[in-house]
Amino acid sequence: MLELLDEPLLLDELPEDEDDEGDEEELLDDESLLELLLEPATGGLFWRMIKSTMKTAVQIASGTMLATTIGLLAMLLVGLMSWPPARGVSGIAIGLITSTMFALLLRKKLGQPISIVASGIGAIVACFFAISTAEILPPGSLQWFFQGGLYGAAFGVPVAAILSPLALMERRRVNDDSVSN
């Protein structure tokens, strides 16, 4: 039975169009096979739920990673213009505030479901690692801007992506509160 699932499904039983000769066999990809199997059992509801949930998860993760990147970029620009305000805790605070404000803007104005907490934590991690590269690179230089920014993004953006499902938990809690009232 498992061997059948690894090979593409050949459909000979489907009604043919008048234009087709009938010599060609259609191959189903994994998505249409799953839809074909789930359609009769659930009336397509289950498949639409899966697609909707995956779309929402991608929107949440991409928005959260974007907000984290904007926070890191703001700290890097401040550090490039003047290094003293961007070093240490004040640099991390610049990234955190910018990231959370951008996440709030995306959530309120565009209606995007974005995790504000995850973007803030990702910005903290990204800014910390970007600032820490100032020990091996000249602080406030273009070299620090690009290499430190990439180093910070390499750690902070994945943290934001991993924590982005926190927005789903917040969204579910808000929906549960509205149902219970």
Side-chain angles (χ1 to χ4, degrees), residues 22-36:
D23 297 332
E24 300 175 10
E25 296 177 336
E26 289 186 41
L27 297 176
L28 287 179
D29 59 345
D30 291 337
E31 183 178 318
S32 58
L33 175 63
L34 186 60
E35 188 174 356
L36 182 68

Side-chain angles (χ1 to χ4, degrees), residues 86-167:
R87 66 178 187 211
V89 177
S90 61
I92 293 173
I94 290 169
L96 171 67
I97 292 168
T98 306
S99 175
T100 54
M101 289 297 143
F102 190 75
L104 276 169
L105 176 77
L106 285 177
R107 180 183 262 189
K108 298 294 181 191
K109 296 294 181 185
L110 299 178
Q112 294 279 347
I114 294 177
S115 176
I116 297 167
V117 173
S119 63
I121 292 172
I124 289 171
V125 171
C127 291
F128 172 79
F129 280 102
I131 292 169
S132 69
T133 60
E135 294 181 8
I136 54 174
L137 299 171
S141 66
L142 280 175
Q143 183 183 11
W144 170 79
F145 181 83
F146 289 112
Q147 289 181 344
L150 288 175
Y151 188 69
F155 286 97
V157 172
V159 166
I162 290 169
L163 295 177
S164 65
L166 291 173

Side-chain angles (χ1 to χ4, degrees), residues 5-41:
L5 294 177
D6 293 336
E7 298 176 8
L9 181 63
L10 300 174
L11 293 179
D12 293 333
E13 301 88 25
L14 289 178
E16 298 179 18
D17 295 337
E18 287 80 28
D19 299 331
D20 290 341
E21 295 290 325
D23 297 332
E24 300 175 10
E25 296 177 336
E26 289 186 41
L27 297 176
L28 287 179
D29 59 345
D30 291 337
E31 183 178 318
S32 58
L33 175 63
L34 186 60
E35 188 174 356
L36 182 68
L37 292 174
L38 293 177
E39 184 76 30

